[in-house]
Amino acid sequence: MWVAQQSQSVFGVPLGTQHGLFWIKNTHITSLKGLQKTLRYALSYPNFAPKGLLHPGFRWRTLKHSIMNRIEQLFQRKDKNVLNIYFTAGYPGLNDTEDIILSLEKAGVDLVEVGMPYSDPLADGPTIQESGTAALENGMTLQLLFEQLAAVRKKTEMPLIMMGYFNQVMQYGEKAFFEKVAEVGVDGLILPDLPLFEYENHYKDLAESLGLAVSFLITPQTEPERIRKIDDLTHGFIYIVSSSSITGAKSGITDTQLAYFNRINDMQLKNKRLIGFGISDHETFETACQYANGAIIGSAYIKALKNNPNVAECTAEFVTAILLDRH
Amino acid sequence: MIAVDERGYYGEFGGAYIPEMLWPNVQELRENYLKFMAEPDFQREFQSLLRDFVGRPTPLYLAKRLSEHFGVTIYLKREDLCHTGAHKINNTVGQILMAKRLGKTRIIAETGAGQHGVATATVCALMGLECIVYMGEVDIERQAPNVARMKMLGAEVRPATSGSKTLKDATNEAIRDWINNPVDTHYIIGSVVGPHPYPDMVARFQSVISEEIKWQLEEHTGKDYPDAVIACVGGGSNAAGAFYHFLNDTRVRLIAVEAAGEGIHSGKSAATSVLGTKGVIHGSRTLLMQTADGQIVEPHSISAGLDYPGIGPLHAHLISSGRAEAICFFFFESLEAALFLSRQEGIIPALETAHALSALRVMKYNPTDVLVLCLSGRGDKDLNTYMKHL
């Protein structure tokens, strides 16, 4: 999940000044293991290691933070028209996870949000709930999903985010869950019912030390002060909930929503922003992209999969229709 | 000292695990509920409604034949005599006043047995507010009389068709409605569940039950506390009300009675305190019935009001800290208890209450003890079920 640094700052830590980082920057390290290997090499052959890497002032933690995960790397490369697609793991078929992710990548999607199916998804509408129920009936478990994602990670560098509800995390064990997420090569997390306060006090340090980008949501009702706080705590991107609704509820974008998007833009937040909820077709995607760095589509894709469970074919058609001339 | 902290925790249970979309609503309530409740105007209005509309104080009745039968002094707190037939209206009267002060014009609620739905529809009619009640499809069928009452009162009853189609799912739907209508709508939760401040707010509105028990008992016996308070627990609102003023009085045993359904390990049970593990349900960290993978299990109880896979965080704290004793009963035990009370005391209890009555058969007590049992509701709505098993 770690990729060598290519930018000037990550997680707010300015780069270029730390000892040894320049050297690391110019090697092709794509994983934490790779990084460890490089450091081991440096320790074994100190004469060949760049000056500074083995300097007593070198801090492992700083180095970890200065390496960017795939989500941040994506936004370095591309900060317009970013397309993030959500799907529920285990739907339509139990073992479709890999097919879906690879098909989405092939079709030109930038980021994939993997839904952990849940019995009581409060923030989601009927489409996503039904897909979750079906996935659970198919036999999806968190353990199986982790196995599937670890296998997918060997085949793609696509940034991956897991989305689920906090009860699932609690049962897995919070610390074990965060560590497992990082271990299988997932880059980010969205846990809509994990309160900011709890995150900040109990899980923030853990997530950051693992290099996980945790995204939070803001809605039309979120007050500016709280938006600032969310911006502070977020790594990766902020999830702009387009309207006061559950997922899949409304379609189309109104003037009130545009005013809200403008209001957020005027705040000059440090994080990139993706708009979600109610984005379902080319037109809504285009509009969202004019007001943010990109958009998130969930229910519409699940509906498409429901109508055509042939994953490769359905995904190619769906994404093409969303992007049209974009790629 | 048992009390809620400012983040809504009782010990390790409680809090507000809600999606950001609900944050402004919950925050608005959290900032205002104590302030409003402390206002003399609010208290005047609340107390006068409790007296003149609800019919409080409800009697504390010495059940002589029941006492003789069990060889102990048993008082029944007659919440079944409240307007609409159960304790639920204590809370809805309080919350509707809260909603009015928050400027809300639309009320939503979830209901299991239908008692909370009826109590919400009633106060909405009283205040002229729009009322939508979410109710599981299964419950709509088994609690038909209450559905009719809600309709008569002008409320719209919307069926919850997901999951087990019972109280849990009705609550999910109500929460989703609130997410979709964040500005004009107040959600009247019917039990001591949900995100902070609901468990505390509902417990405070229901605390009138134990407040009255105290002075009524003093009138009857010269002592203002009983040796034990017994109440049934689904989410736990009548128990929270009956326990409230005795929470920190360790002379009083607190006995929470749950529904074991067809047996605790039968797979058809709602005995959360036994089967439950720590988790998050409907915005609160508490004990709930779930799989090892964190999927919430569909509960089962003959009584729609106890058919809930969680338990209020206050009760989770009371039970896991040992302050309250939890007992659960098979459904046929509660049917027998209902029949017994009907024929011995001339009171037809609700099925939920009948579970609490069953506790008398197994709990240990001294013959000199004074027990108070919260008779939370009347049994009219359950006559169909009773007739089937008679």
Side-chain angles (χ1 to χ4, degrees):
Chain A
M1 60 161 300
W2 297 98
V3 181
Q5 171 59 33
Q6 295 180 351
S7 73
Q8 290 311 301
S9 96
V10 173
F11 287 4
V13 182
L15 292 178
T17 51
Q18 288 98 342
H19 300 290
L21 281 179
F22 180 76
W23 181 69
I24 288 174
K25 186 169 147 183
N26 293 314
T27 60
H28 297 279
I29 304 164
T30 54
S31 67
L32 188 56
K33 275 211 178 97
L35 177 65
Q36 282 166 343
K37 218 165 155 184
T38 310
L39 283 173
R40 256 204 310 277
Y41 181 84
L43 287 164
S44 310
Y45 305 98
N47 291 344
F48 295 99
K51 212 169 73 181
L53 185 66
L54 302 175
H55 189 275
F58 180 81
R59 285 177 303 155
W60 171 247
R61 201 181 159 81
T62 313
L63 177 66
K64 264 182 135 179
H65 277 263
S66 62
I67 298 197
M68 190 166 39
N69 82 15
R70 292 185 190 83
I71 299 170
E72 292 177 299
Q73 223 199 9
L74 163 71
F75 286 117
Q76 289 291 325
R77 206 169 58 228
K78 180 172 178 182
D79 68 352
K80 279 197 178 75
N81 308 315
V82 170
L83 176 58
N84 176 352
I85 297 251
Y86 167 94
F87 75 99
T88 305
Y91 181 86
L94 179 60
N95 297 309
D96 284 341
T97 307
E98 181 170 312
D99 254 9
I100 290 179
I101 293 172
L102 297 180
S103 303
L104 287 170
E105 181 177 40
K106 200 172 150 198
V109 168
D110 302 299
L111 242 160
V112 178
E113 206 178 306
V114 185
M116 299 149 48
Y118 186 50
S119 56
D120 295 77
L122 284 184
D124 289 303
T127 306
I128 290 179
Q129 173 157 24
E130 276 164 28
S131 69
T133 307
L136 292 172
E137 277 166 11
N138 289 342
M140 182 48 81
T141 62
L142 209 43
Q143 196 54 52
L144 177 62
L145 179 56
F146 280 136
E147 284 164 24
Q148 292 178 343
L149 291 174
V152 174
R153 183 44 89 209
K154 294 193 178 117
K155 300 185 181 172
T156 174
E157 283 301 310
M158 168 73 86
L160 295 175
I161 298 164
M162 284 177 86
M163 184 272 179
Y165 288 82
F166 190 61
N167 192 50
Q168 301 169 285
V169 178
M170 270 185 81
Q171 297 321 301
Y172 197 90
E174 291 97 320
K175 187 160 184 284
F177 177 86
F178 278 82
E179 285 170 356
K180 189 72 181 175
V181 168
E183 184 196 318
V184 299
V186 167
D187 309 282
L189 272 177
I190 300 177
L191 300 168
D193 62 344
L194 173 61
L196 275 189
F197 168 80
E198 306 288 344
Y199 174 73
E200 191 180 7
N201 282 279
H202 302 295
Y203 310 113
K204 178 174 171 278
D205 288 349
L206 181 62
E208 286 182 357
S209 73
L210 292 164
L212 289 174
V214 179
S215 290
F216 289 95
L217 282 62
I218 63 178
T219 80
Q221 267 74 42
T222 312
E223 287 169 354
E225 198 183 319
R226 192 166 164 84
I227 294 177
R228 292 276 174 219
K229 173 113 190 157
I230 287 170
D231 191 35
D232 266 359
L233 290 176
T234 294
H235 292 307
F237 64 90
I238 291 180
Y239 195 135
I240 310 270
V241 176
S242 67
S243 63
S244 307
S245 72
I246 50 175
T247 55
K250 294 162 195 165
S251 212
I253 292 174
T254 63
D255 288 349
T256 324
Q257 283 170 283
L258 296 184
Y260 153 61
F261 299 151
N262 277 328
R263 176 164 65 81
I264 304 295
N265 285 338
D266 289 347
M267 291 185 74
Q268 308 270 331
L269 303 178
K270 75 174 167 71
N271 281 285
K272 303 294 183 202
R273 298 164 316 283
L274 300 182
I275 295 177
F277 289 48
I279 313 299
S280 59
D281 52 18
H282 177 69
E283 195 194 338
T284 43
F285 177 67
E286 285 278 284
T287 313
C289 288
Q290 284 167 28
Y291 291 86
N293 305 90
I296 305 168
I297 299 179
S299 301
Y301 179 55
I302 303 282
K303 272 183 200 151
L305 284 172
K306 189 179 175 184
N307 295 332
N308 180 7
N310 179 335
V311 169
E313 191 185 288
C314 166
T315 305
E317 275 173 23
F318 182 81
V319 177
T320 307
I322 298 292
L323 295 175
L324 289 179
D325 55 338
R326 278 286 172 199
H327 281 252
Chain B
M1 181 71 185
I2 295 159
V4 73
D5 73 15
E6 63 173 278
R7 291 269 164 198
Y9 281 93
Y10 303 89
E12 61 176 309
F13 300 107
Y17 292 78
I18 46 168
E20 188 62 31
M21 294 84 94
L22 278 181
W23 174 263
N25 288 345
V26 170
Q27 174 73 356
E28 183 183 33
L29 202 57
R30 192 169 73 89
E31 281 172 354
N32 289 300
Y33 82 111
L34 290 176
K35 195 178 76 191
F36 286 152
M37 283 171 90
E39 283 172 5
D41 261 7
F42 183 96
Q43 278 305 324
R44 208 172 304 125
E45 211 176 339
F46 182 50
Q47 297 303 340
S48 88
L49 279 173
L50 284 185
R51 188 184 66 231
D52 304 328
F53 187 67
V54 176
R56 302 205 72 94
T58 59
L60 185 72
Y61 171 66
L62 173 62
K64 287 207 187 81
R65 296 186 69 191
L66 206 61
S67 299
E68 262 168 41
H69 182 88
F70 287 104
V72 66
T73 307
I74 301 168
Y75 284 93
L76 302 176
K77 180 58 177 163
R78 297 291 308 275
E79 292 301 298
D80 62 318
L81 294 177
C82 286
H83 179 41
T84 71
H87 70 288
K88 290 290 186 190
I89 198 159
N90 302 329
N91 168 47
T92 59
V93 163
Q95 284 205 43
I96 202 83
L97 297 178
M98 195 68 74
K100 272 180 64 185
R101 275 164 178 75
L102 291 168
K104 307 289 179 176
T105 54
R106 182 175 174 274
I107 300 295
I108 54 170
E110 85 297 334
T111 195
Q115 287 302 128
H116 174 59
V118 169
T120 305
T122 300
V123 295
C124 286
L126 182 70
M127 298 293 173
L129 296 179
E130 185 189 353
C131 178
I132 291 140
V133 180
Y134 289 89
M135 189 169 184
E137 230 175 19
V138 170
D139 293 337
I140 287 182
E141 198 182 321
R142 61 179 168 177
Q143 305 287 345
N146 275 343
V147 177
R149 291 166 79 196
M150 285 183 264
K151 286 182 178 163
M152 185 75 190
L153 290 160
E156 182 192 338
V157 180
R158 288 190 190 164
T161 55
S162 61
S164 56
K165 305 181 176 62
T166 59
L167 181 53
K168 162 181 90 95
D169 312 286
T171 309
N172 288 345
E173 292 308 322
I175 290 175
R176 288 184 179 130
D177 182 308
W178 209 22
I179 289 175
N180 285 329
N181 299 283
V183 182
D184 62 345
T185 300
H186 176 70
Y187 177 17
I188 301 191
I189 295 185
S191 194
V192 286
V193 300
H196 178 63
Y198 277 103
D200 184 47
M201 180 170 71
V202 176
R204 283 170 191 265
F205 285 138
Q206 291 294 359
S207 69
V208 64
I209 300 174
S210 50
E211 193 184 307
E212 287 175 7
I213 291 174
K214 270 178 90 109
W215 63 258
Q216 289 172 323
L217 205 59
E218 191 167 18
E219 276 184 10
H220 281 284
T221 67
K223 262 192 340 188
D224 73 344
Y225 66 94
D227 295 291
V229 182
I230 306 160
C232 62
V233 173
S237 65
N238 90 83
F243 294 169
Y244 197 86
H245 289 282
F246 305 116
L247 287 174
N248 294 303
D249 185 344
T250 49
R251 296 170 300 184
V252 184
R253 287 166 66 195
L254 308 176
I255 297 175
V257 188
E258 288 183 304
E262 293 176 14
I264 291 178
H265 299 292
S266 64
K268 289 191 163 184
S269 175
T272 311
S273 66
V274 183
L275 300 172
T277 49
K278 288 170 199 172
V280 168
I281 182 169
H282 298 141
S284 151
R285 186 190 275 251
T286 184
L287 294 173
L288 60 123
M289 289 164 54
Q290 57 185 323
T291 66
D293 212 34
Q295 306 296 339
I296 297 178
V297 169
E298 294 171 5
H300 178 88
S301 168
I302 190 172
S303 130
L306 302 183
D307 211 345
Y308 185 69
I311 187 175
L314 168 63
H315 297 297
H317 177 60
L318 292 177
I319 291 168
S320 52
S321 67
R323 175 67 189 99
E325 303 157 50
I327 311 182
C328 25
F329 288 94
F330 298 117
F331 80 95
F332 52 82
E333 291 172 314
S334 50
L335 287 169
E336 278 171 29
L339 204 60
F340 186 85
L341 191 76
S342 303
R343 300 199 174 166
Q344 295 288 313
E345 294 288 352
I347 300 168
I348 302 175
L351 256 171
E352 292 76 16
T353 314
H355 281 79
L357 282 161
S358 319
L360 293 169
R361 286 221 316 234
V362 297
M363 64 177 284
K364 292 194 172 66
Y365 46 78
N366 295 319
T368 53
D369 279 356
V370 174
L371 313 181
V372 172
L373 188 144
C374 186
L375 199 80
S376 54
R378 68 180 187 219
D380 307 35
K381 70 184 176 53
D382 300 309
L383 284 174
N384 259 339
T385 313
Y386 288 149
M387 287 304 109
K388 265 186 227 160
H389 292 88
L390 199 67

